[in-house]
Amino acid sequence: MKRYGKKTIIYILLSIWATLTLYPFFWVIINSFKPSSDIIRDSLSIPITNFTFDNYIKAFTSDYNIFRSYMNSFIVSFSVVFAVLIIAGFASYALARYNFKGKKLVYAFIIACMMFPIFSVIYPLHQILINLKLNGSRLGVILPQIAGNVSFAVVILTGFIQQLPVEVEESAYIDGANIFQILFIVVFPMAKSAFASTAIFVFLWSYNDLFLQMVIIQDKDKMPICALLKEISSKYGTDFGLMASSVTLIIVPVIIVYILLQNHIIKGLTAGAIKG
Amino acid sequence: MYKNKWIAYLFITPMLLFLIVFLIYPFSVNIYNSFFKYKSVLDRNPAYVGVNNYVQLFTTRQFKIAIENTLLLTILVIVFQVGIALILALLVSEIKRLAGFFKTAYFIPIVISATALGLMFLMFFREKGGLFNQILANFNLEPIRWLNGMDSNVTLASMFLPTIWQYIGFYFVIFLTALNTISDEMLEAAKIDGANDFTLTFKIKLPLIQNVTRVVLVLAITGTLKVFDLPYILNPIANPNGETFLLGTYMYHVSYFANKNLGLASAFAVILAILGVGFSGLVNVVFKQNKDI
């Protein structure tokens, strides 16, 4: 009897926190189907008689093109992920397998780079991008984001490659494979779970990062989704219906992907952080 | 086969190039600029002033406020974010059914961008017709000016609430993973020896996950230094009267709006980086890694 009571209390407490976590998202989604005036009057009810798609029509026909922003986000984030995996893959292999002069120093340098917040260099960074004629372009967001993520990726991948057995590489080498064949046919496929975790971490970081997007890109046609959302809110912040539909449009795809890939995502994000 | 050193150097070069061009070089520029006084952003002949910018920064009211607020947030993060995460993890480790569901649910806010969360909470905090004031109205309570009032404590609380709420699930998963590695045999043996829940938790579980706790604290503390998106979306100009700046939001403000002295912003950036590296070093010393576990 006593055990039964204890379990009940545990489930009640856990359910309360689950509600506090999930209800905000539920609230936004149901309210995105209500007229703005009803959200302000009574946001707690479920839309039945006042159900409407108007907020979505407005979101897609306003002078802000949400679809194009999604495309911008994907272009930026996939480029960052691709570049980080390639650059970090090579560097990690060198750090995991070779003994070279200055290796310890390079590693300490990578750790230090991981510590420091990218916004502490934003002003000089912005000047560099202006000099490189990259200010306002998607590439101007991509390059610093690569720099901001590569050190973390190297730490994760180096740790993983070190644990791989050397014998497979050695036998491939004896069979006459060159270094690039060894990397792409032997090492990288064996490390694919570590690459997947890293890719997820880097993708979410890049997709969700507002700071660089906001500072570098001023043209709303080139804005990734976070920067565009901020623009919409500063212009139409009082239109609750439009706000709710815009927020729903950005969170629902992420939640769907999250539910499909949750084990990889949770592993990727927490493993990444612990190594740091 | 690993004798050919030039391959190693070739492989690390692209990484080093990115880090140097986009992090180290701009940071060096910051260090250099922090010793000069600029009369305008385009000042071609800034005057060398030594450590004056640093001195000036420490006497600026808003800088002190930003430091105080960030320290306050750090303490709240340790107590509430890490504390609630640990309690939830201890609870979930006790159950089998629905454990997966709770893990999935608690982690959701982490994958959502802080921008979207910020806009969501703006709708909750709105004075007229926001969710929180509607709930208050249902209990016949007066509406509260969550973000636009004159009481900076209310505003700070409103900015901190979503910031702390978002990452609880993150540390929860880290704690839970650690708790799940504790062997059942050990816990059963302790129970047979008469250990109650209190003893199990404080004498066995918590000491065993102490290395993970250290990592969590480093992450949580250095994380608060980097907090920017959520507070910025909720309260970009630090209402009321700049009293709710955090280091991140004040950095942005100083760099782009506050004044024409680039040197001051650079000094700030240098301090911020030193704080980041220093803080994590400090936590690592205080919570020394226990090699016995």
Side-chain angles (χ1 to χ4, degrees):
Chain A
M1 187 59 212
K2 186 174 165 261
R3 282 203 67 76
Y4 187 71
K6 188 180 128 191
K7 285 266 148 99
T8 313
I9 295 172
I10 290 180
Y11 276 105
I12 290 173
L13 290 174
L14 292 176
S15 305
I16 290 174
W17 188 257
T19 312
L20 290 175
T21 309
L22 298 178
Y23 183 75
F25 301 109
F26 178 73
W27 184 92
V28 173
I29 295 169
I30 59 165
N31 279 295
S32 68
F33 296 105
K34 285 187 206 165
S36 288
S37 54
D38 289 1
I39 304 176
I40 291 172
R41 211 163 29 84
D42 173 22
S43 66
L44 297 164
S45 65
I46 308 254
I48 301 164
T49 52
N50 54 358
F51 187 92
T52 171
F53 280 116
D54 284 358
N55 299 320
Y56 287 92
I57 295 168
K58 218 188 286 172
F60 284 110
T61 53
S62 72
D63 44 342
Y64 294 102
N65 189 332
I66 289 183
F67 274 131
R68 190 164 45 202
S69 270
Y70 271 127
M71 285 312 297
N72 291 332
S73 269
F74 286 130
I75 293 170
V76 169
S77 299
F78 279 119
S79 314
V80 172
V81 169
F82 185 74
V84 165
L85 290 187
I86 293 283
I87 295 169
F90 279 108
S92 304
Y93 184 73
L95 287 166
R97 291 291 193 239
Y98 289 85
N99 275 317
F100 55 90
K101 225 179 180 176
K103 181 167 142 175
K104 281 212 174 103
L105 194 72
V106 170
Y107 204 76
F109 174 72
I110 294 168
I111 300 282
C113 286
M114 221 162 60
M115 296 288 176
F116 91 52
I118 198 149
F119 60 71
S120 72
V121 294
I122 190 66
Y123 198 87
L125 179 65
H126 203 168
Q127 298 306 312
I128 295 170
L129 292 172
I130 291 171
N131 290 337
L132 294 173
K133 306 240 180 315
L134 289 172
N135 184 40
S137 73
R138 282 176 291 241
L139 198 58
V141 177
I142 293 171
L143 296 177
Q145 282 198 347
I146 295 173
N149 279 290
V150 76
S151 43
F152 151 78
V154 168
V155 172
I156 299 292
L157 293 174
T158 306
F160 195 88
I161 293 174
Q162 269 168 347
Q163 293 168 358
L164 294 175
V166 190
E167 292 78 17
V168 192
E169 289 158 49
E170 276 167 353
S171 63
Y173 181 71
I174 291 163
D175 289 344
N178 68 35
I179 184 73
F180 292 98
Q181 285 169 325
I182 290 176
L183 273 178
F184 283 96
I185 299 171
V186 180
V187 180
F188 291 167
M190 281 200 296
K192 69 171 182 268
S193 69
F195 274 97
S197 297
T198 310
I200 287 166
F201 184 93
V202 173
F203 182 86
L204 280 173
W205 190 91
S206 159
Y207 182 83
N208 287 341
D209 168 56
L210 168 69
F211 194 71
L212 277 169
Q213 298 179 3
M214 187 177 87
V215 172
I216 310 291
I217 296 184
Q218 295 83 24
D219 175 2
K220 65 179 196 278
D221 290 347
K222 288 184 186 159
M223 277 182 185
I225 193 80
C226 283
L228 189 86
L229 259 186
K230 202 205 130 258
E231 283 289 307
I232 294 178
S233 80
S234 49
K235 201 166 165 192
Y236 299 105
T238 50
D239 185 341
F240 267 35
L242 181 63
M243 291 273 281
S245 64
S246 310
V247 172
T248 305
L249 283 171
I250 185 167
I251 64 175
V252 166
V254 180
I255 291 181
I256 292 171
V257 172
Y258 165 69
I259 289 172
L260 292 176
L261 295 174
Q262 51 170 308
N263 289 331
H264 292 285
I265 292 177
I266 292 177
K267 215 173 83 195
L269 285 178
T270 51
I274 287 182
K275 294 279 165 86
Chain B
M1 67 178 281
Y2 304 117
K3 297 240 170 63
N4 202 344
K5 307 289 183 224
W6 70 265
I7 289 186
Y9 288 116
L10 181 72
F11 282 2
I12 62 168
T13 304
M15 170 196 72
L16 291 178
L17 269 179
F18 268 94
L19 292 177
I20 289 169
V21 173
F22 295 107
L23 287 177
I24 301 306
Y25 171 69
F27 186 64
S28 323
V29 172
N30 268 341
I31 296 179
Y32 179 81
N33 281 343
S34 71
F35 296 111
F36 290 87
K37 184 177 172 64
Y38 286 72
K39 289 193 189 66
S40 76
V41 176
L42 296 172
D43 194 346
R44 294 250 171 247
N45 292 305
Y48 177 78
V49 291
V51 294
N52 252 2
N53 285 322
Y54 291 90
V55 175
Q56 197 191 330
L57 201 54
F58 278 102
T59 53
T60 310
R61 188 184 72 100
Q62 286 173 329
F63 180 74
K64 280 189 209 152
I65 290 173
I67 294 246
E68 282 168 16
N69 289 341
T70 307
L71 282 177
L72 178 64
L73 177 62
T74 312
I75 294 167
L76 294 174
V77 157
I78 292 172
V79 174
F80 290 103
Q81 201 171 55
V82 178
I84 294 176
L86 182 57
I87 293 170
L88 291 171
L90 286 166
L91 292 177
V92 171
S93 71
E94 292 279 316
I95 61 168
K96 296 237 152 48
R97 221 185 303 169
L98 287 179
F101 163 76
F102 288 122
K103 193 170 160 186
T104 306
Y106 296 167
F107 203 79
I108 284 185
I110 288 108
V111 297
I112 309 286
S113 70
T115 319
L117 294 179
L119 297 184
M120 195 169 90
F121 274 89
L122 273 181
M123 288 191 273
F124 298 167
F125 284 129
R126 176 62 61 76
E127 188 189 354
K128 259 181 76 184
L131 171 64
F132 291 150
N133 280 344
Q134 282 187 31
I135 294 173
L136 289 180
N138 284 347
F139 293 100
N140 288 320
L141 294 168
E142 288 293 306
I144 291 177
R145 300 180 73 181
W146 300 100
L147 287 168
N148 59 352
M150 291 313 293
D151 186 346
S152 62
N153 289 327
V154 175
T155 315
L156 273 181
S158 308
M159 290 159 65
F160 290 170
L161 178 81
T163 310
I164 292 172
W165 168 83
Q166 183 188 10
Y167 268 88
I168 286 178
F170 185 71
Y171 300 119
F172 157 79
V173 169
I174 297 179
F175 279 130
L176 185 63
T177 314
L179 286 170
N180 285 340
T181 59
I182 299 176
S183 75
D184 286 338
E185 287 88 22
M186 189 191 290
L187 296 176
E188 286 305 321
K191 272 184 206 161
I192 291 166
D193 289 344
N196 57 23
D197 285 340
F198 184 85
T199 324
L200 274 184
T201 306
F202 287 94
K203 295 275 154 90
I204 297 181
K205 291 182 181 174
L206 293 187
L208 279 176
I209 63 165
Q210 125 191 17
N211 284 341
V212 169
T213 310
R214 184 181 56 89
V215 172
V216 165
L217 286 171
V218 175
L219 289 174
I221 292 173
T222 49
T224 49
L225 289 179
K226 299 186 196 174
V227 165
F228 174 78
D229 296 14
L230 254 174
Y232 178 75
I233 295 277
L234 291 173
N235 190 1
I237 50 167
N239 272 328
N241 302 322
E243 278 173 39
T244 56
F245 274 121
L246 296 172
L247 285 173
T249 48
Y250 188 52
M251 172 80 223
Y252 181 68
H253 181 76
V254 170
S255 301
Y256 284 92
F257 302 106
N259 63 62
K260 298 172 178 63
N261 184 3
L262 194 60
L264 201 62
S266 307
F268 191 175
V270 173
I271 290 174
L272 208 58
I274 292 171
L275 279 178
V277 178
F279 251 173
S280 40
L282 188 71
V283 181
N284 268 319
V285 171
V286 174
F287 298 89
K288 248 192 223 125
Q289 185 158 15
N290 190 337
K291 294 260 163 56
D292 297 336
I293 300 177

